[in-house]
Amino acid sequence: MLTLESACRRPERHRVLTGDRPTGPLHLGHYFGTLQNRVRLQDAGIELFLVIADYQVLTDRDLADRPAEHAENLVLDYLAAGIDPERATVFTHSSVPALNQLLLPFLSLVSVAELGRNPTVKDEIAHSRQAAVSGLMFTYPVHQAADILFCKPDLVPVGQDQLPHLEVTRTIARRFNDRYRTDLFPEPQALLSPAPLLAGTDGGKMSKSRGNAIPLGATEDETARLIRAATTDADRQIGYDPERRPGVSGLLRLAALCQDRDPHAVAEEIGSGGAARLKATVTEAVNEHLRPLRARRTALAADRDHLRRVLRAGSERANAVADTTLAEVRAVMGSV
Ligand code: ATP
Ligand code: MG
């Protein structure tokens, strides 16, 4: 099992791919779930690819709302968090057509029954904004296998909801290699952080699209307002008990992550201060922790052209890598 530490010891042996949907600004779930790990891997000298999965926006809604603007804002969040565009390749899915050519042979490697069993897809259908479930909703994990495998990474830092998808990718890599008697694709491993499923202000998975997120780029006042509205309970004695008190425990967890402490210790400090004291503590911890990131974000936001240049350069590089992989795939399949 690869860990962050073991990967960082031999950076030249690894390559990382991961990404996000351009559905809104990145939030604390992204930050503690995957973004911090991305930056750590990059800073250890590991090559990093970041896909902005713009076609994937259409899995649960009819139209993508301002996809280009959201994509640029993702770049802004990445750079503010410490992603270095000189070292990392940041690209949008829609700018790399070879990825869609990989999709078709990959689709042939999975059964309809397997696609229907995916628990993350089921959860996303439950939260979908569409009355009917589209074919894209069922097949996007295969699309994602193409987004991942094109650059042959061995490590994918993700949140817990991505584990079933990564299993699809691993299955496709293995079956492709078996069927065509090749070793073209590695079977990439997921890298989970200690906070692989951060709760949002309603106690469910913090998500860009579910109105329960604390964005990295929120102002301090907005942060305070969002945390004030978080679901808690009537017991004034604050304690960490994720099973029975999910709301209170999620907030304690958040403060603990920001302060690099144990959530029980945060709870003890608040004692019988109730939800108001808890929320004030969490707000202070979040705002304090994000202050340097937010300052960098504000400075970077002044130059939108720079964000677009980062995407253009990343897309150029991703296209070169994807074209090479597609040529290899076609050769192995006897298409040329
Ligand atoms: P949406 O609601 O639009 O799907 P999202 O918040 O789920 O947005 P994604 O772009 O789907 O974000 O996910 C990007 C990455 O962030 C994935 O690796 C995912 O596992 C991780 N991630 C998202 N939310 C959380 C969370 N609450 N805790 C930990 N990791 C998360
Ligand atoms: Mg999601």
Side-chain angles (χ1 to χ4, degrees), residues 27-36 193-195 198 254 257-258 289:
H27 52 65
L28 286 164
H30 297 115
Y31 180 76
F32 288 115
T34 133
L35 193 50
Q36 272 191 332
S193 81
L198 197 79
L254 197 49
L257 283 165
C258 290
H289 185 79

Side-chain angles (χ1 to χ4, degrees), residues 122-251:
K122 286 183 183 164
D123 178 59
E124 288 170 352
I125 288 171
H127 287 89
S128 169
R129 300 175 185 187
Q130 295 180 302
V133 180
S134 75
L136 183 59
M137 178 59 105
F138 277 111
T139 52
Y140 88 82
V142 183
H143 206 225
Q144 201 170 303
D147 298 350
I148 296 174
L149 291 176
F150 91 94
C151 69
K152 303 177 186 169
D154 63 329
L155 206 55
V156 188
V158 284
Q160 189 166 293
D161 61 313
Q162 290 296 313
L163 292 182
H165 296 353
L166 206 67
E167 248 350 277
V168 173
T169 294
R170 291 167 58 84
T171 300
I172 286 172
R174 199 168 49 243
R175 288 184 188 162
F176 185 93
N177 291 347
D178 284 351
R179 189 165 295 179
Y180 297 103
R181 299 179 189 286
T182 174
D183 56 3
L184 193 58
F185 292 117
E187 271 184 58
Q189 279 187 28
L191 178 71
L192 289 182
S193 81
L197 187 63
L198 197 79
T201 51
D202 61 357
K205 172 192 168 305
M206 188 179 285
S207 296
K208 289 187 231 93
S209 306
R210 298 185 189 175
N212 65 356
I214 302 169
L216 297 178
T219 64
E220 300 204 352
D221 286 349
E222 280 161 3
T223 303
R225 191 173 45 74
L226 289 166
I227 293 174
R228 254 199 315 276
T231 314
T232 49
D233 55 47
D235 187 347
R236 287 196 60 79
Q237 185 63 37
I238 297 303
Y240 185 67
D241 182 351
E243 282 289 303
R244 284 195 317 209
R245 304 183 69 186
V248 164
S249 302
L251 287 175

Side-chain angles (χ1 to χ4, degrees), residues 1-8 13-18 37 41 46-49 148 151-158 166 186-192:
M1 184 72 185
L2 261 176
T3 60
L4 180 76
E5 292 69 28
S6 65
C8 291
R13 292 195 176 182
H14 303 285
R15 183 182 262 186
V16 167
L17 178 132
T18 188
N37 274 346
L41 292 161
I46 296 176
E47 190 178 12
L48 185 65
F49 284 75
I148 296 174
C151 69
K152 303 177 186 169
D154 63 329
L155 206 55
V156 188
V158 284
L166 206 67
E187 271 184 58
Q189 279 187 28
L191 178 71
L192 289 182

